Amino acid sequence: MQLEDAHLRVRQSRSATSNVLRSQQREHNRLQMAERRQQGKAYQPYNRLAFRYNPGEDYSLSRHVLIGIMTVVCPYCKALKFSIETKGMCCAAGKIKLPQLREPPESLKTLLAGYTAESKHFLFNIRKYNSCFQMTSFGAEVIATHFMPTFKMKGQIYHKVGSLLPFPNGQHKFLQMYFIGDHKDELDARCGISTGIKRYIVS
């Protein structure tokens, strides 16, 4: 009889504890839901804001869009992260390991540093310098739009590769420049692609 009474008291105690835990969990869920609703109301003014953009307002000062600077360093891959960024987004907590990038040659490394006037010029015009050595041209059907200056295309993206030599009396383009044979003529052809580039950097 005493053993049955003890079992009954244990069951009643567990039931009471479970009821308390369930009540606490419900209250916790209720508070979380209320907080999410409040956050949703706070972000509501920013919904589809691009269509109601006011250039006179400084949105960068709003706490809803200010995410701070990247001050957190991943202990595994040493990537810089924001303080509220999800853990493991960079390397899955060390599970993904990429090989170290090799340093570029000294001449290119100096141009990429951004310290000298020559380096700043190179970085500002880096797309032009890259175009001097491209081997193919990019092709796609571009969709013209008058609403936003967005580059749109449809269908398949492809690269056009021409013949190794130009047509008679034609100029060398893209891959053909690598087969000019004369260094000076090749340099002239590359520097003639874009304005504002420096010959000695291309060489």
Side-chain angles (χ1 to χ4, degrees):
M1 187 66 177
Q2 292 180 351
L3 185 59
E4 291 180 359
D5 291 341
H7 284 310
L8 180 60
R9 285 195 297 270
V10 169
R11 284 197 298 270
Q12 290 175 345
S13 176
R14 288 178 178 174
S15 177
T17 303
S18 299
N19 290 335
V20 171
L21 290 176
R22 280 195 293 268
S23 177
Q24 290 177 347
Q25 185 63 41
R26 283 196 297 268
E27 180 64 16
H28 177 71
N29 293 340
R30 187 187 67 79
L31 293 175
Q32 273 192 333
M33 187 62 67
E35 184 179 356
R36 289 174 183 170
R37 289 199 189 100
Q38 193 64 29
Q39 288 178 349
K41 291 180 181 178
Y43 283 104
Q44 191 64 31
Y46 296 91
N47 185 31
R48 300 176 65 83
L49 183 61
F51 299 98
R52 300 178 286 102
Y53 180 74
N54 180 10
E57 184 174 346
D58 189 359
Y59 296 98
S60 65
L61 300 178
S62 172
R63 64 183 181 87
H64 300 299
V65 297
L66 188 63
I67 60 176
I69 59 176
M70 304 173 81
T71 55
V72 179
V73 181
C74 174
Y76 303 100
C77 67
K78 309 304 179 185
L80 286 175
K81 305 173 68 175
F82 295 103
S83 59
I84 59 174
E85 191 172 346
T86 305
K87 294 182 179 180
M89 285 289 288
C90 49
C91 64
K95 295 179 181 178
I96 300 175
K97 296 181 180 180
L98 299 176
Q100 292 290 333
L101 293 176
R102 293 182 297 177
E103 287 195 358
E106 182 54 40
S107 56
L108 182 58
K109 182 179 179 181
T110 303
L111 290 173
L112 293 172
Y115 297 129
T116 64
E118 181 184 81
S119 174
K120 292 177 181 178
H121 159 79
F122 175 76
L123 293 175
F124 185 78
N125 298 278
I126 194 167
R127 293 184 65 181
K128 291 183 178 181
Y129 284 104
N130 185 59
S131 297
C132 292
F133 298 93
Q134 62 184 358
M135 296 184 180
T136 62
S137 63
F138 177 84
E141 183 179 351
V142 180
I143 302 174
T145 175
H146 303 287
F147 175 60
M148 296 179 67
T150 304
F151 184 77
K152 295 182 179 180
M153 53 197 165
K154 67 177 181 179
Q156 185 175 1
I157 298 174
Y158 52 91
H159 289 84
K160 297 179 180 178
V161 181
S163 60
L164 295 181
L165 296 175
F167 292 110
N169 300 323
Q171 293 183 344
H172 290 77
K173 298 179 180 179
F174 304 111
L175 185 62
Q176 297 169 353
M177 293 184 184
Y178 289 87
F179 298 92
I180 291 179
D182 183 82
H183 177 70
K184 181 179 179 301
D185 292 341
E186 181 180 340
L187 191 57
D188 290 339
R190 295 190 188 283
C191 293
I193 294 177
S194 301
T195 59
I197 59 177
K198 297 182 179 180
R199 185 183 181 90
Y200 67 91
I201 293 181
V202 178
S203 63

